[in-house]
Amino acid sequence: MLTIAQLLESLESLEPGLCGRIRGASPELIARLERVAERRLPEVQRQLLERMGEDLGGICAGFVGADMRAASLVERFEARGWIPPAPFVLVGVDDAGAPMDSFLRCAPDLAEPELVQFAMPGGVQALVASGPDNYRVMAPSLPAWLFRCAFTNFVGGRYRWVATAEVFEAQPDHGARFDALLSARGFFRQHGSDHMTGALWTQEAAVLWTRNALDDPVFVAIYADEPARVDELAFTLAGVTAMRRYSTVANDADADADEDEEDELG
């Protein structure tokens, strides 16, 4: 179980200076948030707010429902006047107008709260039905979601090309097999990876695989500076299991062209 402190220690090694950029919210603002939320915040959210509740340092920049600043949450509660029902606790709002907000689902059957998203009433709604009865699980925990966002931004963002793929008939050992295969090829497995998230990288490429339950589909993102390297890694991973590859696209404005394709691998 990754704590916020362990998360930041891992991310500092990926993004030196990160811990100097983040800023925690004041105790007074955190207390005000608890008053308008009408409940005590989960410990993991309190840890996040104390360390980076004023500035998250770009960890989840560009992601939906990722504004987790204490002031933004207070503003949302005061503007909407809606308190999410148990077991949900508001943890993030979207600062770019998207209808999805982020919540911790603090159910007694969970070892730690999982991060889910749905649209809060009173604002713009998603095209697909959403709400507390129709939420989408984004990660098995808040630290896991932040780790995935940070690896995407701080590591994946270094490379010029990215391909995505998905393993629909995933098995519990697929993650471990991906890790073993990549480690044998010289990839470093970033501290913070676990049985639900694998973050591996070298100077030339990076791979992030994620799932939210052992029997869930596995999503894979492959990053490299050359499309040929992306292709090579995609076919290497397909040696573990068949996967559907969706696309290879430019990961930044400097890439010359996009390559759009959809292939069955394996």
Side-chain angles (χ1 to χ4, degrees):
M1 185 181 299
L2 191 66
T3 66
I4 294 296
Q6 291 168 337
L7 168 73
L8 291 174
E9 180 181 356
S10 175
L11 298 186
E12 180 69 20
S13 69
L14 291 177
E15 180 75 0
L18 172 67
C19 290
R21 296 202 306 266
I22 61 174
R23 293 194 302 276
S26 68
E28 294 77 15
L29 186 55
I30 295 174
R32 181 181 173 190
L33 174 58
E34 287 194 319
R35 287 196 299 272
V36 296
E38 299 182 1
R39 67 195 60 181
R40 180 169 176 80
L41 302 177
E43 182 59 28
V44 67
Q45 184 180 14
R46 177 175 288 276
Q47 292 174 8
L48 180 146
L49 293 172
E50 290 173 348
R51 294 295 302 273
M52 45 185 166
E54 183 177 332
D55 189 335
L56 278 79
I59 287 175
C60 43
F63 284 83
V64 171
D67 185 352
M68 298 183 172
R69 295 173 296 173
S72 299
L73 301 182
V74 168
E75 180 181 356
R76 178 59 58 88
F77 276 119
E78 293 180 342
R80 300 280 177 87
W82 181 80
I83 307 298
F88 301 101
V89 178
L90 181 67
V91 70
V93 297
D94 195 83
D95 59 1
M100 288 296 174
D101 297 309
S102 297
F103 301 82
L104 292 177
R105 191 173 78 89
C106 307
D109 61 322
L110 298 173
E112 57 183 321
E114 64 183 2
L115 188 110
V116 305
Q117 290 187 342
F118 59 83
M120 284 180 67
V124 177
Q125 297 297 297
L127 294 177
V128 179
S130 183
D133 296 327
N134 193 22
Y135 58 84
R136 179 183 179 190
V137 178
M138 303 302 295
S141 71
L142 174 58
W145 189 74
L146 292 169
F147 178 75
R148 295 171 180 183
C149 293
F151 191 84
T152 299
N153 284 335
F154 298 151
V155 178
R158 300 172 186 171
Y159 304 97
R160 299 180 68 239
W161 296 88
V162 58
T164 57
E166 193 164 7
V167 181
F168 290 102
E169 297 182 2
Q171 300 297 321
D173 68 339
H174 278 160
R177 292 169 66 188
F178 285 150
D179 288 351
L181 187 62
L182 292 168
S183 295
R185 288 175 169 261
F187 279 72
F188 170 73
R189 187 172 186 263
Q190 183 65 31
H191 173 65
S193 300
D194 56 22
H195 63 295
M196 298 292 189
T197 305
L200 302 98
W201 60 281
T202 66
Q203 292 298 318
E204 297 179 350
V207 174
L208 175 67
W209 64 261
T210 63
R211 61 183 170 195
N212 298 323
L214 289 178
D215 57 352
D216 271 2
V218 178
F219 177 81
V220 182
I222 304 168
Y223 303 91
D225 281 331
E226 299 295 336
R229 180 64 166 146
V230 172
D231 292 341
E232 176 194 351
L233 286 169
F235 282 102
T236 296
L237 294 176
V240 171
T241 182
M243 62 177 70
R244 180 171 292 277
R245 178 173 164 191
Y246 293 113
S247 60
T248 299
V249 298
N251 197 33
D252 61 33
D254 296 327
D256 296 328
D258 290 358
E259 292 183 4
D260 293 315
E261 57 183 307
E262 182 172 320
D263 301 320
E264 284 287 354
L265 302 179

